[in-house]
Amino acid sequence: MTAIADEIDAKALEIEGSADAKNPDAEPGRFGMAIVPVDGPVVQVGAIDTFPIQSISKVLALNLALCERGDAVFERVGREPSGDPFNSIVDLERTGGLPRNPFINGGALVIADMLVEQTGGPDSVVNFVSEQLDGNNVPLDDDVLHEGGDLNRAMLSFMRHHGNVRSDSDSVMDAYVRQCAIMVDCEGLAKAGQFLAQTRLTGKDDAGQVEAKRMRTVLALMMTCGHYDGSGDFAVRVGLPAKSGVGGGILAVAPEVASIAAWSPNLDQHGNSILGVRALEMLASRTGWSVFGSPLSSNCRP
């Protein structure tokens, strides 16, 4: 595993098309990756920069909401890819204030509303990440905390009109931006998501069944919706449940094998890390970790 990670690190800057889609003249940028196996030592290569997890936090928030409410979560948010930009208010008009999935902004705001209802505070996801990192303090990115949120507030107002937001908008926005502002390095992100790799049914009692179903639900949504309009391409190229963030991070899961985090700041047209996607593609190809099976032989027949 270490040899594969070193190969990815050595080749990262040679990856074709690694410039930022929004700035074609940009250098490929720094790159890091960490692999946290279910059973084994952590492997980390490349940069150890910290970065805000941004939309990756939506996975952790969804898990917390499912822990408390189960399938009732999906009475207020859907489970389908949207086909529209992640911050589209047009999509909410079509669905009467019911977001298509928990990973577009409208859906994430509804999940944040649920967590505020449950705890009365803004730090459900921050506290969860701290727990996953052995109680260590979790810093928050100041720039993210102070980003403008007019469009998100417009979505909150629209969904409130349709009865799908219960807490006050300031509380929901505070919770949402704080979860997006969480700062980690690749190892921290992979450790925060390691629980998602533990998918095996641990017992035949009701609690074991519920936990297994929750993991399957979260991973399924990561696969189908985790990279917005690039989710299908990611599924074909990498074949692992994953969630990206505009901070350049990607959290991917090889069920019962490992949690993987990749980071590089330059993004494609969908807001996904270019080097991060390519590195995960290389990793899946060399390990055969794709949930769809190992790569086919080059001489196979249709």
Side-chain angles (χ1 to χ4, degrees), residues 240-278:
L240 293 174
K243 183 72 189 80
S244 65
V246 295
I250 301 175
L251 172 66
V253 178
E256 286 303 316
V257 178
S259 170
I260 309 120
W263 171 80
S264 188
N266 291 340
L267 309 177
D268 65 16
Q269 68 272 27
H270 303 300
N272 304 318
S273 171
I274 297 169
L275 281 177
V277 173
R278 183 68 180 95

Side-chain angles (χ1 to χ4, degrees), residues 101-294:
N101 65 69
F103 298 155
I104 57 175
N105 280 22
L109 290 166
V110 170
I111 297 296
D113 178 49
M114 293 181 192
L115 296 181
V116 170
E117 283 187 282
Q118 288 167 204
T119 67
D123 283 331
S124 296
V125 179
V126 176
N127 293 337
F128 178 78
V129 172
S130 177
E131 290 170 9
Q132 300 304 108
L133 301 183
D134 300 321
N136 289 327
N137 181 56
V138 177
L140 303 181
D141 183 86
D142 193 62
D143 289 338
V144 175
L145 288 175
H146 293 95
E147 284 177 348
D150 290 343
L151 186 53
N152 284 337
R153 287 182 180 277
M155 284 189 276
L156 280 171
S157 295
F158 189 88
M159 292 187 292
R160 186 186 304 283
H161 171 76
H162 288 278
N164 203 16
V165 171
R166 283 77 182 272
S167 306
D168 69 271
S169 294
D170 286 344
S171 297
V172 176
M173 283 295 298
D174 190 26
Y176 179 67
V177 298
R178 288 179 70 81
Q179 71 181 49
C180 290
I182 291 169
M183 292 280 288
V184 291
D185 60 9
C186 284
E187 182 177 348
L189 179 57
K191 285 182 175 179
Q194 187 190 28
F195 73 99
L196 292 165
Q198 299 168 12
T199 58
R200 185 173 294 131
L201 185 63
T202 56
K204 296 182 179 180
D205 60 354
D206 289 346
Q209 297 282 352
V210 168
E211 183 176 2
K213 181 180 180 181
R214 186 176 75 254
M215 292 300 99
R216 186 172 70 244
T217 299
V218 174
L219 293 179
L221 285 165
M222 291 172 72
M223 179 65 79
T224 57
C225 308
H227 281 73
Y228 306 118
D229 286 346
S231 297
D233 180 69
F234 187 89
V236 171
R237 291 173 60 187
V238 181
L240 293 174
K243 183 72 189 80
S244 65
V246 295
I250 301 175
L251 172 66
V253 178
E256 286 303 316
V257 178
S259 170
I260 309 120
W263 171 80
S264 188
N266 291 340
L267 309 177
D268 65 16
Q269 68 272 27
H270 303 300
N272 304 318
S273 171
I274 297 169
L275 281 177
V277 173
R278 183 68 180 95
L280 288 165
E281 181 180 19
M282 292 172 64
L283 181 68
S285 175
R286 283 155 176 74
T287 60
W289 285 351
S290 167
V291 298
F292 302 114
S294 299

